[in-house]
């Protein structure tokens, strides 16, 4: 009895027989390595193999389809550099995110999520943001690609950096949100701000870019512009026209709230008007463009009527400003449309023209219903609830806000080489460096040594000027012209070079604690080791030989007091 086998993906032909429908031939001509603009393409290996869950709308597999179409068209030959970037480190993720949150992502797994239920609720990893296998590895991959692109732009070794795996704009500092766990956009902008004084962030995802807006809500160095659907209850529920920023960031946050069903002409009209006015007023030195494809028509979670050509025209419009550009992915939940859209926009960014027929790939079955076309006709349109008058009100309001900028903010910049601060922070400081930090460079190295001695103090090293000998009292004045306030006192030397006239040192007899004798100390020229440069001169009292005759009570075998070099 013969068994009937159902056709599966693995048993289907490698390439579909397209019949009358043509197949695009790949580009074979390689780009001139010295041509401009320089385009870098970031594709972390294995990022498309992660899986949110069977019924979850976010499908990282869309990245695999996109790469297959890009290579199938031969666009890899038109791209200057293609990178498999390293994953972001925990320290790089914590440049924005809380340590406790990143630590949680590193520990939670599908196997232990029951025991970590309380922390899962705290960090909002529920429903939209489920726990799946190798979740942190996935986050580190797409965040590392965005950071790598930002570093290339800062170094000036690329003009356009593309990372379709990035663009997850909902993640907050300490919690997940809207399918997003790590906000690679914020991390990339922070990296760009190390070199670029002003960064413009543009978001054409159908959902409001609330995570990026919140991160820079009080900054005047980042202008955020978001084009999104806003009804009050559509996720994430933010992005009103009146949300303008706060503090120094007042009027540096622009929102363009749109209604269902907006078409190509309306969208491109308001997009080009707002972006052109914003670039003129803000004058960004770098641009980050989030190209969420859920604003396309027929998206699983979207409600706009945009075509792939109109979506790509937004990218082309921003590209023409010739400003360092970081292009990221984002939303998009009808994966065959997402892959077609991002492939077309890759061609736009490299300046290549590609045919409407799709190239032959192993994923031909995904595009059979559209007859393997790059720009299939849009079906199932949503009624357009936007009017020309409503868009005009939005444009007028935004222009009014831009007038408050009064020119682009100027920033005093000082170039910080990558990782130099970290190396300096890890290096141990010596005593002089610590002294400079506490006292300043003007007083660094100044040390005042108190050489006043107690009655019962005994000899303690070369800095001790006490004597335990019989001495006769003498109280000469000491005065010097060195940098120190006093040339010598009790055998002390000032910071400058000088001669003290004499010293008085209280001593005790060995057998009698109540008897004190003071000896006259003949001067001896010495050099102070302080930082002063003056030379003090005192009046000499006598020579050693004359002192012995005039003061026979002093034991000639005992050492003669003299000036001693003391660090002050």
């Amino acid at each position: 009895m013969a068994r009937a086998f159902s056709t599966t993906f693995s048993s289907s032909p490698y390439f579909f027989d397209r019949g009358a429908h043509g197949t695009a031939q790949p580009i074979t001509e390689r780009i001139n390595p010295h041509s401009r603009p320089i385009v870098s393409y970031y594709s972390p290996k294995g990022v498309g193999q992660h899986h949110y869950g069977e019924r979850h709308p976010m499908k990282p597999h869309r990245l695999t389809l996109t790469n297959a179409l890009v290579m199938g068209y031969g666009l890899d030959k038109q791209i200057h550099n293609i990178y498999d970037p390293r994953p972001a480190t925990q320290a790089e993720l914590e440049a924005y995110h809380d340590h406790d949150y990143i630590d949680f992502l590193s520990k939670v797994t599908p196997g232990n999520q029951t025991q970590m239920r309380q922390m899962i609720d705290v960090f909002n990893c529920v429903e939209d943001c489920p726990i799946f296998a190798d979740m942190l590895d996935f986050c580190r991959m797409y965040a590392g690609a965005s950071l790598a692109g930002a570093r290339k732009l800062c170094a000036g070794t690329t003009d356009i950096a593309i990372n379709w795996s990035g663009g997850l704009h909902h993640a907050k500092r300490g919690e997940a949100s809207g399918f997003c766990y790590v906000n690679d956009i914020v991390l990339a902008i922070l990296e760009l701000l190390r070199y670029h004084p002003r960064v413009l962030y543009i978001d054409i995802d159908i959902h409001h870019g609330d995570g990026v807006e919140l991160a820079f809500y009080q900054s005047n160095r980042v202008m955020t512009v978001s084009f999104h659907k806003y009804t009050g209850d559509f996720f994430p529920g933010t992005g009103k026209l009146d949300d303008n920023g706060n503090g120094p960031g007042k009027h540096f946050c622009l929102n363009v709230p749109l209604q269902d069903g907006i078409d190509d002409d309306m969208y491109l009209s308001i997009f080009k008007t707002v972006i052109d006015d914003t670039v003129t007023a803000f004058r960004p030195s770098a641009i980050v463009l989030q190209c969420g494809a859920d604003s396309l028509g027929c998206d699983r979670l979207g409600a706009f009527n945009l075509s792939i050509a109109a979506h790509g025209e937004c990218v082309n419009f921003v590209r023409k400003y010739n400003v360092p550009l970081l292009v990221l992915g984002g939303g998009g939940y009808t994966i065959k449309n997402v892959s077609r859209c991002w492939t077309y926009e890759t061609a736009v960014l490299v300046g290549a023209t590609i045919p409407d027929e799709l190239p032959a790939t192993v994923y031909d079955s995904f595009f059979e219903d559209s007859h393997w076309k790059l720009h299939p006709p849009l079906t199932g349109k949503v009624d357009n609830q936007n009017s020309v008058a409503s868009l005009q009100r939005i444009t007028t309001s935004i222009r009014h806000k831009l007038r408050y900028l009064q020119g682009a903010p100027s920033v005093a910049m000082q170039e910080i080489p990558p990782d130099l601060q970290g190396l300096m922070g890890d290096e141990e400081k010596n005593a002089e460096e610590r002294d400079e930090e506490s006292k300043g460079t003007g007083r660094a190295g100044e040390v005042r040594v108190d050489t006043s001695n107690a009655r019962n103090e005994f000899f303690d090293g070369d800095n001790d000027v006490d004597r335990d000998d019989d001495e006769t009292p003498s109280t000469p004045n000491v005065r010097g012209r060195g940098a120190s306030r006093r040339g010598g006192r009790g055998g002390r030397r000032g910071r400058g070079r000088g001669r003290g006239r004499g010293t008085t040192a209280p001593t005790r007899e060995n057998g009698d604690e109540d008897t004190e004798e003071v000896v006259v100390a003949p001067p001896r020229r010495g050099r102070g080791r302080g930082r002063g440069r003056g030379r003090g001169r005192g009046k000499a009292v006598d020579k050693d030989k004359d002192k012995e005759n005039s003061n026979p009570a002093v034991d000639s075998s005992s050492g003669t007091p003299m000036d001693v070099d003391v660090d002050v």
Side-chain angles (χ1 to χ4, degrees):
M1 179 178 178
R3 296 181 60 184
F5 292 95
S6 60
T7 302
T8 63
F9 178 80
S10 58
S11 63
S12 61
Y14 188 81
F15 295 123
F16 268 58
D17 182 8
R18 299 188 180 183
H21 304 286
T23 301
Q25 298 302 313
I27 299 172
T28 57
E29 183 181 358
R30 292 193 175 274
I31 189 70
N32 183 346
H34 302 291
S35 63
R36 300 299 291 264
I38 300 173
V39 180
S40 297
Y41 189 88
Y42 294 86
S43 177
K45 185 177 180 181
V47 69
Q49 299 174 3
H50 292 83
H51 191 49
Y52 275 63
E54 182 179 359
R55 299 184 182 277
H56 199 283
M58 174 63 92
K59 307 291 184 184
H61 183 61
R62 62 194 181 150
L63 302 169
T64 305
L65 267 67
T66 301
N67 289 335
L69 290 179
V70 167
M71 304 302 171
Y73 273 118
L75 293 175
D76 56 309
K77 298 178 180 62
Q78 295 294 304
I79 298 173
H80 293 76
N81 304 296
I82 298 178
Y83 296 103
D84 174 18
R86 65 167 176 81
T89 64
Q90 181 167 339
E92 289 172 335
L93 298 181
E94 291 177 7
Y96 172 64
H97 291 284
D98 293 337
H99 170 77
D100 291 344
Y101 175 55
I102 299 300
D103 187 60
F104 160 78
L105 293 179
S106 67
K107 293 179 180 177
V108 67
T109 64
N112 66 8
Q113 59 180 328
T114 303
Q115 293 79 9
M116 302 184 70
R117 174 56 56 187
Q118 183 177 359
M119 296 184 69
I120 288 175
D121 293 337
V122 169
F123 296 117
N124 197 35
C125 290
V126 294
E127 298 179 357
D128 288 350
C129 302
I131 304 300
F132 59 90
D134 301 324
M135 184 170 62
L136 183 61
D137 291 341
F138 172 68
C139 298
R140 292 176 60 212
M141 284 182 181
Y142 71 75
S146 296
L147 284 170
R151 285 192 291 266
K152 279 283 186 181
L153 292 172
C154 289
T157 54
T158 192
D159 301 308
I160 300 173
I162 305 171
N163 173 30
W164 297 124
S165 65
L168 278 72
H169 57 170
H170 293 306
K172 309 300 190 299
R173 181 187 296 271
E175 67 177 31
S177 177
F179 313 159
C180 307
Y181 301 88
V182 168
N183 200 317
D184 64 293
I185 305 174
V186 174
L187 296 174
I189 292 176
L190 290 174
E191 186 69 25
L192 289 171
L193 289 175
R194 290 169 58 88
Y195 180 79
H196 293 282
R198 293 175 300 278
V199 177
L200 173 62
Y201 170 69
I202 305 172
D203 192 317
I204 58 175
D205 194 291
I206 196 173
H207 299 97
H208 177 232
D210 58 331
V212 183
E213 180 185 281
L214 180 63
F216 300 106
Y217 202 65
Q218 300 188 52
S219 173
N220 61 359
R221 293 184 60 193
V222 180
M223 171 79 79
T224 60
V225 185
S226 179
F227 299 81
H228 54 270
K229 174 181 174 180
Y230 177 78
T231 61
D233 54 357
F234 185 73
F235 183 85
T238 56
K240 296 186 297 182
L241 182 62
D242 296 334
D243 292 341
N244 303 324
N246 192 26
K250 187 72 171 177
H251 306 299
F252 288 87
C253 166
L254 301 179
N255 288 298
V256 183
L258 304 171
Q259 302 300 312
D260 288 347
I262 190 168
D263 58 21
D264 291 354
D265 292 337
M266 281 188 172
Y267 194 94
L268 288 176
S269 175
I270 193 169
F271 179 85
K272 291 182 177 181
T273 301
V274 170
I275 294 302
D276 193 55
D277 291 344
T278 302
V279 170
T280 302
F282 185 63
R283 289 185 293 168
S285 55
I287 297 177
V288 177
L289 177 60
Q290 197 264 19
C291 301
D294 48 5
S295 52
L296 293 173
C298 302
D299 188 79
R300 182 176 174 181
L301 300 182
F304 285 174
N305 292 326
L306 289 186
S307 66
I308 291 175
H311 203 273
E313 178 57 27
C314 294
V315 176
N316 189 45
F317 185 77
V318 176
R319 178 188 68 89
K320 289 181 178 179
Y321 284 107
N322 293 323
V323 174
L325 177 62
L326 176 62
V327 181
L328 305 172
Y333 308 102
T334 303
I335 62 174
K336 56 186 179 182
N337 290 340
V338 175
S339 58
R340 278 187 283 221
C341 178
W342 290 347
T343 300
Y344 174 69
E345 288 170 355
T346 302
V348 167
L349 292 168
V350 300
T353 302
I354 54 178
D356 190 35
E357 292 80 15
L358 293 178
T361 67
V362 70
Y363 300 106
D364 274 2
S365 61
F366 282 84
F367 309 102
E368 183 179 10
D369 59 346
S370 61
H371 303 294
W372 301 278
K373 298 296 183 183
L374 180 64
H375 300 280
L378 186 61
T379 60
K381 290 187 177 182
V382 179
D383 292 338
N384 191 352
Q385 299 179 15
N386 301 272
S387 65
V388 175
S390 66
L391 298 183
Q392 185 64 39
R393 285 194 298 270
I394 293 173
T395 303
T396 302
S397 175
I398 289 177
R399 283 177 171 169
H400 178 71
K401 296 172 185 177
L402 290 174
R403 287 205 300 268
Y404 285 99
L405 296 186
Q406 298 178 351
S410 59
V411 181
M413 298 297 294
Q414 182 176 0
E415 183 176 356
I416 303 176
D419 299 330
L420 179 59
Q421 282 188 330
L423 292 173
M424 293 176 64
D426 294 337
E427 185 180 0
E428 292 186 2
K429 298 181 175 60
N430 58 33
E432 291 184 0
E433 291 172 333
R434 290 194 297 269
D435 212 6
E436 287 183 1
E437 289 185 354
S438 60
K439 297 182 179 180
T441 56
R443 297 183 57 196
E446 292 186 359
V447 180
R448 185 180 181 88
V449 179
D450 190 358
T451 56
S452 60
N453 305 299
R455 288 176 175 271
N456 58 350
E457 186 178 12
F458 297 96
F459 182 77
D460 185 20
D462 294 335
N463 287 337
D464 198 326
V465 295
D466 290 350
R467 286 198 53 194
D468 292 333
D469 304 314
D470 296 334
E471 299 166 345
T472 58
S474 177
T475 57
N477 293 329
V478 179
R479 186 172 297 175
R481 294 190 295 110
S484 63
R485 186 165 49 93
R486 296 180 180 178
R489 180 181 175 185
R492 288 171 54 188
R493 286 294 311 280
R495 286 174 20 232
R497 300 171 182 171
R499 289 193 230 167
R501 269 179 27 187
T503 62
T504 61
T507 60
R508 291 183 305 180
E509 291 289 348
N510 292 336
D512 187 1
E513 296 183 359
D514 298 330
T515 304
E516 294 185 5
E517 290 193 7
V518 182
V519 66
V520 177
R524 174 182 177 271
R525 182 172 181 177
R527 293 188 178 182
R529 290 179 295 176
R531 296 171 65 91
R533 295 184 178 181
R535 180 182 296 273
R537 292 182 178 273
K539 182 179 179 181
V541 177
D542 209 340
K543 295 183 180 180
D544 292 347
K545 183 176 179 179
D546 296 336
K547 183 178 69 64
E548 291 177 3
N549 297 331
S550 62
N551 191 12
V554 179
D555 186 0
S556 60
S557 63
S558 61
T560 302
M562 63 184 69
D563 277 350
V564 179
D565 290 344
V566 178
D567 287 335
V568 179

